[in-house]
């Protein structure tokens, strides 16, 4: 990127850090050239364009070919500029995701941003947020969304004895209340459905059947809006002991009520799991079916651990 004219292979092998050290350590020219070819392939596979410029008189003669990464591929539009702090924030946004969880365009964009050479604001460089993706279904669903491919997976709904195989056109992955969901078009029901990833009981299979990528447009917003509307339509009244973990965690998303906290929720079974984990710190006042679910979980814990639990 430092020269528009490009550099010859010999210049690169003798001057670029890594090759130079290998040469000084006694590596043969043949070994260095193999390393160079492999690195070129790796960079191209990562989305970094590498141009090969042959002799002007004979373009097919590559004995003195020069190589370059065109700056135009990394240049920003003239009406876009980033401050050092903005570059730092964009880098931090990229660092939130592991490489395996970022789409190919996102990885390419992050590399281009880092290639701008701006000085990073050191005041925030130590802040490194992370998003953890523990659901085994996340990666294949993300890949299927990028490729616009239909998937199949077994899904266990609450109250059903066994999972049912679903065939879905996945449109968006969204996180809501620390849990991942996928919005997709269920081809059997011929309607959009939101699926909780933790209820996918086995491997997600990405099929060869493709769908129109335009279906993905606005899907994330639709999914989040649907989840928010569902949570607002149903709430639980929960009494909590002040200063406990239950009070802290539930208080972040609940509103005060005369008898405790009014907690919005999407899924009664998921909320029951959470409330049961707090033990005596939380007690469900209403609705009755949620209270019954929590009691069932507490009784199950007691039976598994004996009377001394």
């Amino acid at each position: 990127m430092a020269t528009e004219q490009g550099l010859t292979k010999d210049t690169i092998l003798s001057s670029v850090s890594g090759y130079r050290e290998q040469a000084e350590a006694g590596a043969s020219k043949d070994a260095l050239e193999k390393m160079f070819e492999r690195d070129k392939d790796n960079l191209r596979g990562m989305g970094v364009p590498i141009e090969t410029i042959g002799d002007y008189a004979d373009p097919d003669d590559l004995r003195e070919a020069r190589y370059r990464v065109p700056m135009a591929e990394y240049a920003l539009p003239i009406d876009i500029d980033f401050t050092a702090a903005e570059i730092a924030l964009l880098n931090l946004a990229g660092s939130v995701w592991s490489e395996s969880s970022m789409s190919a365009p996102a990885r390419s964009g992050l590399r281009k941003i880092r290639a701008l050479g701006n000085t990073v604001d050191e005041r925030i460089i130590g802040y490194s947020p992370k998003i953890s993706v523990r659901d085994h279904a996340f990666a294949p669903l993300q890949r299927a969304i990028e490729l616009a491919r239909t998937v199949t997976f077994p899904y266990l709904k609450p109250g059903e004895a066994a999972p049912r195989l679903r065939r879905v056109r996945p449109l968006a992955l969204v996180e809501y209340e620390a849990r991942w969901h996928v919005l997709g078009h269920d081809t059997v029901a011929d309607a959009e459905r939101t699926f909780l990833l933790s209820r996918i009981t086995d491997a997600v299979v990405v099929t060869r059947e493709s769908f129109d990528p335009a279906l993905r447009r606005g899907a994330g917003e639709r999914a989040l809006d649907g989840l928010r509307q569902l949570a607002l339509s149903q709430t639980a009244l929960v009494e909590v002991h002040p200063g406990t973990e239950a009070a802290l965690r539930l208080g972040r998303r609940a509103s005060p009520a005369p008898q405790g906290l009014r907690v919005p929720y999407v899924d009664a079974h998921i909320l029951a799991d959470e409330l049961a984990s707090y033990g005596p710190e939380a007690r469900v006042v209403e609705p009755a079916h949620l209270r019954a679910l929590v009691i069932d979980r507490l009784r199950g814990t007691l039976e598994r651990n004996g009377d001394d639990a």
Side-chain angles (χ1 to χ4, degrees):
M1 291 175 61
T3 170
E4 281 296 310
Q5 290 73 36
L7 300 173
T8 65
K9 184 188 298 183
D10 285 343
T11 301
I12 293 170
L13 296 180
S14 62
S15 61
V16 174
S17 177
Y19 300 124
R20 184 179 63 247
E21 286 80 1
Q22 291 290 334
E24 291 172 352
S28 67
K29 185 174 182 180
D30 182 58
L32 290 173
E33 289 186 350
K34 287 181 178 179
M35 184 188 302
F36 176 72
E37 294 300 323
R38 184 193 64 222
D39 290 344
K40 274 199 308 175
D41 291 340
N42 287 341
L43 286 169
R44 284 170 173 154
M46 293 166 60
V48 178
I50 299 176
E51 291 184 348
T52 304
I53 306 170
D55 186 275
Y56 288 109
D58 184 5
D60 293 328
D61 184 0
L62 300 180
R63 287 175 297 178
E64 292 299 319
R66 287 169 289 117
Y67 302 90
R68 69 174 184 177
V69 176
M71 274 297 296
E73 293 292 331
Y74 288 87
L76 291 171
I78 58 174
D79 59 340
I80 294 178
D81 191 21
F82 293 116
T83 66
E86 288 169 339
I87 289 290
L89 289 171
L90 287 167
N91 275 283
L92 287 171
S95 72
V96 167
W97 296 96
S98 67
E99 282 290 303
S100 62
S101 299
M102 290 181 70
S103 67
R107 289 195 296 270
S108 176
L110 187 59
R111 278 194 299 274
K112 292 181 180 183
I113 289 169
R114 288 170 174 166
L116 295 175
N118 296 53
T119 302
V120 173
D121 189 338
E122 294 184 357
R123 291 174 298 174
I124 62 173
I125 199 169
Y127 181 71
S128 184
K130 294 292 179 184
I131 288 181
S132 176
V133 178
R134 292 184 292 271
D135 294 296
H136 63 85
F138 186 95
L141 284 171
Q142 182 190 46
R143 185 169 66 254
I145 292 170
E146 290 179 25
L147 298 174
R149 295 280 186 85
T150 299
V151 299
T152 62
F153 53 78
Y155 191 78
L156 182 62
K157 285 184 65 175
E160 294 185 352
R164 287 191 291 131
L165 189 67
R166 303 299 184 105
R167 190 173 187 87
V168 175
R169 297 168 185 159
L171 305 178
L173 283 161
V174 296
E175 187 267 352
Y176 188 77
E177 291 186 353
R179 291 176 177 83
W180 285 97
H181 303 73
V182 61
L183 175 71
H185 184 91
D186 188 316
T187 61
V188 176
D190 193 23
E192 284 192 352
R193 296 284 188 268
T194 301
F195 301 93
L196 186 65
L197 264 60
S198 61
R199 290 212 176 105
I200 297 176
T201 60
D202 208 338
V204 173
V205 177
V206 181
T207 73
R208 294 181 179 274
E209 178 186 329
S210 59
F211 59 86
D212 184 357
L215 294 174
R216 301 174 305 196
R217 192 174 298 123
E221 290 80 3
R222 293 198 305 276
L224 286 173
D225 184 62
L227 291 167
R228 293 188 190 107
Q229 292 302 319
L230 180 58
L232 290 173
S233 69
Q234 51 190 18
T235 62
L237 182 58
V238 182
E239 292 180 339
V240 295
H241 290 289
T244 61
E245 181 187 7
L248 176 64
R249 293 186 179 276
L250 294 174
R252 290 174 180 170
R253 62 182 192 270
S255 56
Q259 197 176 342
L261 296 174
R262 184 63 68 174
V263 183
Y265 64 94
V266 168
D267 188 303
H269 292 262
I270 295 295
L271 181 58
D273 290 340
E274 179 184 0
L275 295 175
S277 73
Y278 298 137
E281 295 178 3
R283 186 181 76 86
V284 179
V285 179
E286 59 180 29
H289 73 274
L290 176 63
R291 184 169 61 250
L293 290 173
V294 174
I295 291 171
D296 285 343
R297 283 156 174 75
L298 294 173
R299 283 176 175 164
T301 301
L302 185 64
E303 290 171 359
R304 286 191 299 271
N305 293 280
D307 294 338
D308 293 331

